[in-house]
Amino acid sequence: MAENNDQVDQKKLSAAARLFDVRRVIGGLFVVYGVIVTLIGLFDSQAEIDKAEGVRINLWMGIGMLVLGLLFLLWLRLNPPKPPDPSDLGTDDDRPPAH
């Protein structure tokens, strides 16, 4: 029974490690902002394009942000985080006494 509890705890720790991986957060934010900036770039007025000296800067930066965000998410997919080693985790004995 103790082995079963260890497996459940290991799965929870592995899920937590995947959930809080910084690559997921950074990639997700870049994708969201990339979509927003790309959409703004698609609907730029001629005055905004002229202000940027003829370059559709919002469109290009949005596409760049999308690519970067997707690369972070691809990196996470191809190289997922490894679950923490149980020996590295502290036990309840390691905690200071409550006040």
Side-chain angles (χ1 to χ4, degrees):
M1 184 71 174
E3 288 180 22
N4 192 18
N5 285 339
D6 288 341
Q7 289 175 349
V8 170
D9 289 340
Q10 196 66 353
K11 286 182 181 178
K12 286 181 184 177
L13 290 172
S14 179
R18 282 191 303 271
L19 180 65
F20 295 112
D21 192 336
V22 71
R23 295 173 292 183
R24 180 183 311 264
V25 175
I26 292 172
L29 285 174
F30 266 102
V31 168
V32 168
Y33 291 145
V35 167
I36 292 169
V37 174
T38 301
L39 288 175
I40 290 171
L42 286 174
F43 300 108
D44 274 347
S45 68
Q46 189 59 42
E48 291 168 337
I49 295 170
D50 291 340
K51 189 191 298 186
E53 297 184 12
V55 177
R56 297 184 71 128
I57 193 70
N58 287 332
L59 180 64
W60 287 109
M61 291 307 297
I63 291 171
M65 292 171 76
L66 273 171
V67 168
L68 182 65
L70 291 173
L71 284 174
F72 268 92
L73 296 176
L74 179 67
W75 178 25
L76 178 67
R77 178 85 168 160
L78 295 176
N79 188 16
K82 294 169 183 45
D85 188 17
S87 64
D88 292 341
L89 300 175
T91 61
D92 289 339
D93 297 336
D94 295 341
R95 295 181 183 175
H99 293 273

